[in-house]
Amino acid sequence: MASGGPVEHGYPHLETVRAAITALYKRLSYDTVRTFATSVLPADVAFCDTDDLYLGAQRVAHELVRHYRLPDARLVVSFREMRHAASVELAAGPEYFVELNDRFRTHRRDIGAALAHEVMHVYLHRLDLSFPGVRDNEILTDTATTYLGAGWLLLDAFREDGASSQKLGYLTPEEFGYVLAKRSLVFGEDPSVWFTSAQAYTAYVKGMELARLDERQPPLTAAGWAGRRRYARDRRHGPSDSPQPGVRYAFSPDGVGRLRVSFPCPTCHQRIRVPVRGRVRARCALCRSVLECDT
Ligand SMILES: [Zn+2]
Ligand SMILES: [Zn+2]
């Protein structure tokens, strides 16, 4: 896991983040995703400066292993001088060695965040789920950590004051906020009460705006006036090979020459295809969302 350097903002990894959510549903199934309805709670990973460093880190690691339901995994946590924030050795198991940067010796409250990411590496390794390339695989790891209920810790580790800034993980604060918002819309959970960092809360609010925008894209009936107008115009033009910039739906002919439209599910981003014939109710086969469309 990386840390340090100037903090990047905005949504530079958005397409990979969305692909990661889809991949998670595909690999885990809807039913397994639903078992993660409760997040890791602050009390579960609390770590105060009077706690024994090693015993405390082991306890927090064990709590994350329990949260991800890795029954026989044993994490051995150690500290050393290193460039990265943390790393884990992905071997056959059941023992996994996690190394944390020495600075966590004196920043104990962020040990839960670092371990949330590293234990997710173990979880994905056991699922045999990965993205090609180190960068995309780290984005998958942060997205999965957040969607499955431990990533709010990573966002909460983002703090900025006049003199210094700190951020853990590969997503920008807004991207963490976005995934966290997607999660909270699915599970009806409000993570904002757990934040200790004001900047984390701000990023969550911004991420929620974007997550809500996903639910208001045409052809969904919740789409706004301008989007609907553009959709009607694009529909008149019929099938197009290259999707228009800024537009996530695409028209194509079905087998018998009628028009159909495909668009990403606002929850899991799997593409859904429906006939163009006015009001249509679609059900996403992957995340089971029921979508009211006006095609
Ligand atoms: Zn990592
Ligand atoms: Zn879906």
Side-chain angles (χ1 to χ4, degrees), residues 1 117-118 121 138 141 170:
M1 177 162 52
H117 176 97
E118 300 307 327
H121 271 302
E138 293 294 354
T141 306
Y170 294 79

Side-chain angles (χ1 to χ4, degrees), residues 265 268 284 287 289:
C265 169
C268 73
C284 175
C287 75
S289 299

Side-chain angles (χ1 to χ4, degrees), residues 12 25-26 50 59 74 88 131 152 154 160-161 181 184 188 201 229 243 266 285:
Y25 272 100
K26 280 190 174 158
T50 52
R59 175 177 54 77
R74 282 197 306 279
V88 62
F131 276 1
W152 70 269
L154 283 158
E160 263 177 336
D161 57 42
S184 91
Y201 178 75
R229 223 169 98 102

Side-chain angles (χ1 to χ4, degrees), residues 265-270 272 284-289 291:
C265 169
T267 300
C268 73
H269 302 284
Q270 166 88 328
I272 294 170
C284 175
L286 194 54
C287 75
R288 301 189 189 174
S289 299
L291 306 168

Side-chain angles (χ1 to χ4, degrees), residues 63-82:
E63 198 51 51
L64 289 158
V65 162
R66 194 195 56 77
H67 177 78
Y68 295 138
R69 293 178 207 95
L70 293 165
D72 60 332
R74 282 197 306 279
L75 266 89
V76 181
V77 184
S78 61
F79 295 81
R80 75 173 173 88
E81 176 80 58
M82 59 200 286

Side-chain angles (χ1 to χ4, degrees), residues 15-290:
E15 283 318 304
T16 311
V17 165
R18 285 171 168 164
I21 294 173
T22 311
L24 213 51
Y25 272 100
K26 280 190 174 158
R27 187 69 187 84
L28 289 181
S29 84
Y30 166 85
D31 288 316
T32 304
V33 171
R34 292 303 301 189
T35 63
F36 287 91
T38 306
S39 285
V40 172
L41 297 172
D44 298 340
V45 291
F47 201 143
C48 66
D49 287 338
T50 52
D51 286 347
D52 178 88
L53 180 65
Y54 290 91
L55 286 178
Q58 286 304 143
R59 175 177 54 77
V60 172
H62 180 77
E63 198 51 51
L64 289 158
V65 162
R66 194 195 56 77
H67 177 78
Y68 295 138
R69 293 178 207 95
L70 293 165
D72 60 332
R74 282 197 306 279
L75 266 89
V76 181
V77 184
S78 61
F79 295 81
R80 75 173 173 88
E81 176 80 58
M82 59 200 286
R83 196 168 61 87
H84 281 63
S87 70
V88 62
E89 190 183 311
L90 294 174
E95 245 174 11
Y96 298 92
F97 295 89
V98 180
E99 292 181 319
L100 297 181
N101 191 301
D102 264 339
R103 73 182 166 82
F104 285 110
R105 290 174 184 272
T106 50
H107 290 83
R108 297 186 182 185
R109 67 168 169 168
D110 294 326
I111 285 178
L115 289 175
H117 176 97
E118 300 307 327
V119 182
M120 179 49 76
H121 271 302
V122 173
Y123 183 79
L124 294 175
H125 174 69
R126 287 195 164 190
L127 280 178
D128 197 21
L129 176 59
S130 64
F131 276 1
V134 174
R135 171 188 167 278
D136 284 3
N137 203 49
E138 293 294 354
I139 288 165
L140 168 67
T141 306
D142 276 343
T143 303
T145 305
T146 307
Y147 205 80
L148 300 183
W152 70 269
L153 289 162
L154 283 158
L155 178 54
D156 197 41
F158 168 51
R159 285 183 287 270
E160 263 177 336
D161 57 42
S164 66
S165 67
Q166 168 187 282
K167 193 184 81 68
L168 291 175
Y170 294 79
L171 302 188
T172 67
E174 292 77 19
E175 287 168 341
F176 272 120
Y178 173 72
V179 182
L180 199 53
K182 307 273 303 181
R183 172 185 164 78
S184 91
L185 291 172
V186 162
F187 292 108
E189 194 184 55
D190 178 14
S192 62
V193 292
W194 303 323
F195 291 128
T196 59
S197 155
Q199 291 85 8
Y201 178 75
T202 304
Y204 174 67
V205 170
K206 285 186 181 162
M208 181 59 92
E209 280 170 21
L210 185 61
R212 292 234 182 253
L213 212 55
D214 287 349
E215 298 180 333
R216 295 197 305 268
Q217 294 300 312
L220 301 173
T221 52
W225 177 81
R228 296 221 56 80
R229 223 169 98 102
R230 173 158 194 191
Y231 178 87
R233 196 181 60 216
D234 291 342
R235 186 178 53 201
R236 278 198 300 277
H237 291 201
S240 67
D241 294 333
S242 51
Q244 306 288 308
V247 158
R248 304 189 70 213
Y249 52 80
F251 296 100
S252 62
D254 67 7
V256 288
R258 282 174 308 210
L259 200 58
R260 59 186 184 175
V261 62
S262 72
F263 60 97
C265 169
T267 300
C268 73
H269 302 284
Q270 166 88 328
R271 282 195 87 81
I272 294 170
R273 218 175 257 114
V274 294
V276 170
R277 57 151 195 251
R279 288 265 180 164
V280 176
R281 176 177 289 173
R283 189 171 195 240
C284 175
L286 194 54
C287 75
R288 301 189 189 174
S289 299
V290 175

